[in-house]
Amino acid sequence: MEVFIQQLINGLSLGSIYALIALGYTMVYGIIRLINFAHGDVYMVGAYVGFYATTQGWGFLPSLVISMVVCAILGVVIERLAYKPLRGAPKIAVLITAIGVSFFLENGGVLAVGAKIRTFPNVFQEVQYHFFNGSVVITNRQIVIMVVTVLLMLLLQYIVHYTKTGKAMRAVSHDTQAAMLMGINVDNTISATFAIGSSLAAAAGVLVGIYYNAINPYMGIMPGLKAFVAAVVGGIGVIPGAFVGGLSLGVIEALVSGYGQSLYRDAVAFALLIIILIVKPSGLFGSNVREKV
Amino acid sequence: MLLLFFGLVSFGLEEGFIDDYYKLNLFLICINIILATSLNIINGMTGQFSIGHAGFMAIGAYGSAIMTMKLGYPFPVGILVGALAAAIVGVLVGMPTLRLKGDYLAIATLGFGEIIRVIILNIEYVGGAAGLNGISQYTSWEWIFFLTVATVLIIKNFMTSTHGRACIAIRENEIAAETMGIDITRYKVIAFTMGAFFAGIAGSLHAHYFYTIQPTTFGFMKSFDILVFVVLGGLGSLTGSVISAIGLTILSAFLQEYAELRMVIYSLLLVIVMLVRPQGLMGTAEFSFAGMRRLYERLTGKGRGTGNDTAVG
């Protein structure tokens, strides 16, 4: 039982990070139907920006904000340079461009900062809280991760539901053509989506740096793919779905590792993806979209 | 012409004109041609976006290595078993996943590729993370040459056959193809299985040339490399796949010393080609001698240029 609760806690903090990345995937997919493979690498860039900001002596919150702003700009630049010219091009071309951008960021990152693993500065002195006679441990880092995730999630819900940009995003995602006819600036709306999604990924990057204390230029690949899995599990294009999907993926992974099968952790994530795709392709929270002829 | 080339290279290898470095790259080119053309059946001809091709290659490599190394069968049996094992997994993977479309299929195949890698990583019998070492080097120039030529010819013939045309119809418009009475699922599975089969052959050639195989060799990066060949050459163009497999292998040989730079150039190249020519260098055009003559006539001013973007085809 203690093992279960411990892994549940670890899983929820890992899952929060997946959820933050998954939100960006799901928003971008919801609006332009693109699996933005570069998203995982934006998360990596976010971690590095956070790393440099904290080594400059900035505190946790300023570093987080700087990282989010830089990545928001990066996201918009990627969208404008690589994806916008391809609007209307075959889907495969766009998907491959996304993979290309992803590899560009990874290897450009290696060129720029070197391939070695960096140790993230200790922003918080680790404090451990013990429960159940010390058999269950929760650290203040895990609490910070979960709190920041929930706050960002609430902020996002507010943006999407109560601001003009958010309403435009929902309209474009529902029907791009009609939104355009209604006078919504689709290009700007898509850029805003990329900016918000990328800044959430950046936040996840900083949090993961704090949690694991180590970052490297290839760190975006696996979490990126898994966050996509999380987005699909929750129903891609559905924001609460990405949150739930991320958390459940994190918990499942932690449980698999906790019960001694850590080598199969990645396989389990992808097996989950395939099962969901086969059984309910629209995801847990999605609704079926009929194909138009 | 092919025989002449084969003879020249054999002569060069025997007399030592072609040293080990060139030999390595020549072999890599051949393996990459097989991989690129086999993925082209799935992605190019049938329009199913698969990005887990390295998984099939891994099965071929491990399957054949187990046969020759652990069980002591001769090399041809190894190749055959490796390829068949990959094909069987191809059917198993294809049946459920090919119901998915576009992006979802891409991500599912990616998932399968990773699952295959993780499973191999966890089997002690094949060395786990350390991989299999001490595989005999059976892959000779004769083997690799004839298998490459055979692969390309078989795929070429398949492409112009009834079945191949059915696959192309699926690529062009799935719903229309189904309305015309084409059994889409069947053809998708056929294409998928064929692609896996030839990837398995490439895998066994790879294993029996490099003595050693590791699960990490067959990760997402490898799948991506193969995908780049196909996309850069033009989805649906065998000639394109062959040309880009040759070109990119040579390019990466030159950039060997700058591994990161190589990937940066690779990815930039990919993005630029997609932006400028989303259909790839060759589009769906194929090399043919008639096309070459038309091109020649146009260049020498005998024929009338039509202003098409490519005359090859």
Side-chain angles (χ1 to χ4, degrees):
Chain A
M1 191 61 199
E2 278 85 4
V3 178
F4 180 78
I5 296 175
Q6 181 67 59
Q7 294 310 327
L8 200 65
I9 293 169
N10 294 349
L12 284 177
S13 41
L14 179 66
S16 306
I17 289 161
Y18 287 150
L20 280 179
I21 314 175
L23 286 169
Y25 270 115
T26 217
M27 286 166 70
V28 166
Y29 193 90
I31 208 156
I32 57 171
R33 309 275 142 207
L34 159 73
I35 302 179
N36 181 14
F37 272 108
H39 194 64
D41 302 295
V42 172
Y43 148 87
M44 177 272 290
V45 173
Y48 269 90
V49 175
F51 168 75
Y52 284 113
T54 42
T55 43
Q56 294 301 311
W58 296 69
F60 166 67
L61 275 180
S63 305
L64 188 72
V65 172
I66 291 173
S67 169
M68 286 173 76
V69 170
V70 170
C71 284
I73 297 169
L74 177 70
V76 174
V77 170
I78 293 174
E79 193 267 331
R80 286 281 149 118
L81 289 182
Y83 302 145
K84 196 177 164 210
L86 281 171
R87 226 162 275 161
K91 237 177 164 177
I92 287 183
V94 192
L95 198 56
I96 289 177
T97 311
I99 299 179
V101 173
S102 155
F103 276 71
F104 178 72
L105 287 178
E106 274 156 32
N107 297 289
V110 173
L111 277 184
V113 299
K116 68 169 189 284
I117 296 173
R118 302 285 181 116
T119 316
F120 213 85
N122 250 332
V123 189
F124 300 110
Q125 212 40 257
E126 190 172 274
V127 183
Q128 296 186 337
Y129 305 99
H130 295 268
F131 297 97
F132 297 103
N133 306 324
S135 53
V136 174
V137 180
I138 182 165
T139 67
N140 57 341
R141 289 179 186 166
Q142 288 175 321
I143 296 173
V144 166
I145 289 174
M146 288 186 249
V147 168
V148 170
T149 305
V150 170
L151 287 181
L152 286 175
M153 179 74 197
L154 292 176
L155 180 68
L156 181 70
Q157 282 291 348
Y158 173 76
I159 292 176
V160 169
H161 286 282
Y162 299 103
T163 64
K164 215 170 163 186
T165 321
K167 283 177 184 161
M169 277 162 57
R170 281 187 292 148
V172 173
S173 137
H174 193 70
D175 189 335
T176 314
Q177 300 290 324
M180 212 183 280
L181 289 173
M182 290 292 121
I184 290 172
N185 188 333
V186 172
D187 285 338
N188 283 351
T189 310
I190 292 175
S191 295
T193 311
F194 269 86
I196 296 172
S198 304
S199 63
L200 292 174
V206 177
L207 292 177
V208 100
I210 290 169
Y211 192 35
Y212 290 121
N213 278 332
I215 52 174
N216 73 73
Y218 294 113
M219 66 187 264
I221 306 174
M222 253 310 143
L225 292 177
K226 284 188 191 152
F228 182 75
V229 173
V232 172
V233 168
I236 197 150
V238 189
I239 289 176
F243 189 65
V244 175
L247 288 185
S248 25
L249 188 66
V251 170
I252 289 170
E253 272 196 14
L255 289 179
V256 172
S257 331
Y259 288 100
Q261 300 293 323
S262 59
L263 284 170
Y264 282 101
R265 207 183 57 196
D266 296 354
V268 169
F270 287 109
L272 179 73
L273 166 79
I274 289 160
I275 292 167
I276 287 280
L277 283 177
I278 291 167
V279 178
K280 197 171 184 311
S282 53
L284 297 176
F285 289 75
S287 51
N288 267 314
V289 181
R290 277 188 64 90
E291 193 178 355
K292 288 176 212 151
V293 180
Chain B
M1 214 164 81
L2 277 170
L3 279 176
L4 187 70
F5 176 69
F6 172 69
L8 270 178
V9 175
S10 307
F11 180 72
L13 284 172
E14 250 163 56
E15 298 294 313
F17 292 140
I18 301 177
D19 61 21
D20 281 349
Y21 176 70
Y22 287 107
K23 189 178 162 194
L24 168 76
N25 283 305
L26 192 66
F27 278 39
L28 275 178
I29 287 175
C30 290
I31 292 174
N32 285 339
I33 288 177
I34 299 180
L35 287 170
T37 46
S38 66
L39 186 63
N40 204 344
I41 310 178
I42 307 172
N43 282 14
M45 280 171 64
T46 324
Q48 301 305 306
F49 201 65
S50 161
I51 44 179
H53 216 52
F56 298 124
M57 191 188 170
I59 292 175
Y62 274 93
S64 63
I66 290 171
M67 290 311 280
T68 58
M69 198 178 130
K70 302 250 179 188
L71 305 176
Y73 285 96
F75 185 44
V77 179
I79 295 184
L80 198 65
V81 170
L84 284 177
I88 291 166
V89 176
V91 178
L92 294 178
V93 173
M95 287 287 196
T97 46
L98 286 169
R99 288 167 44 202
L100 305 167
K101 289 199 170 63
D103 304 342
Y104 287 105
L105 178 65
I107 207 83
T109 48
L110 192 157
F112 264 113
E114 286 298 305
I115 290 176
I116 290 171
R117 191 177 62 80
V118 175
I119 289 176
I120 292 175
L121 196 68
N122 284 296
I123 299 177
E124 272 313 308
Y125 181 65
V126 294
L132 268 182
N133 294 305
I135 304 164
S136 316
Q137 189 180 42
Y138 288 122
T139 305
S140 63
W141 169 242
E142 286 80 14
W143 272 112
I144 206 160
F145 180 79
F146 285 115
L147 281 174
T148 309
V149 172
T151 305
V152 175
L153 286 181
I154 291 171
I155 296 175
K156 168 99 186 134
N157 276 329
F158 175 73
M159 207 166 170
T160 44
S161 70
T162 322
H163 306 299
R165 301 255 175 237
C167 289
I168 293 173
I170 294 173
R171 172 186 77 198
E172 294 301 331
N173 190 329
E174 216 172 302
I175 298 166
E178 192 169 23
T179 323
M180 299 309 286
I182 292 172
D183 185 348
I184 321 186
T185 318
R186 189 171 143 236
Y187 279 110
K188 280 182 185 171
V189 174
I190 289 178
F192 211 71
T193 313
M194 273 186 75
F197 181 84
F198 288 115
I201 290 183
S204 13
L205 291 172
H206 179 97
H208 290 89
Y209 184 69
F210 290 102
Y211 310 105
T212 163
I213 40 176
Q214 279 146 5
T216 42
T217 319
F218 307 105
F220 178 50
M221 292 291 242
K222 187 76 199 171
S223 295
F224 176 74
D225 271 355
I226 308 170
L227 187 68
V228 175
F229 296 141
V230 177
V231 174
L232 213 58
L235 282 159
S237 168
L238 273 187
T239 323
S241 296
V242 174
I243 291 175
S244 59
I246 297 173
L248 286 178
T249 315
I250 294 173
L251 180 71
S252 63
F254 275 121
L255 294 172
Q256 200 104 63
E257 285 153 50
Y258 321 98
E260 293 93 29
L261 195 64
R262 179 186 87 109
M263 288 311 293
V264 172
I265 293 176
Y266 236 63
S267 47
L268 269 186
L269 198 67
L270 196 69
V271 173
I272 292 168
V273 170
M274 281 301 113
L275 291 178
V276 181
R277 245 185 103 76
Q279 68 273 48
L281 295 175
M282 297 285 289
T284 52
E286 291 294 345
F287 170 85
S288 71
F289 286 105
M292 286 306 281
R293 204 177 63 234
R294 279 203 302 278
L295 181 70
Y296 172 75
E297 280 169 359
R298 204 170 82 181
L299 289 177
T300 52
K302 278 180 199 157
R304 198 184 300 155
T306 52
N308 281 343
D309 56 353
T310 172
V312 188

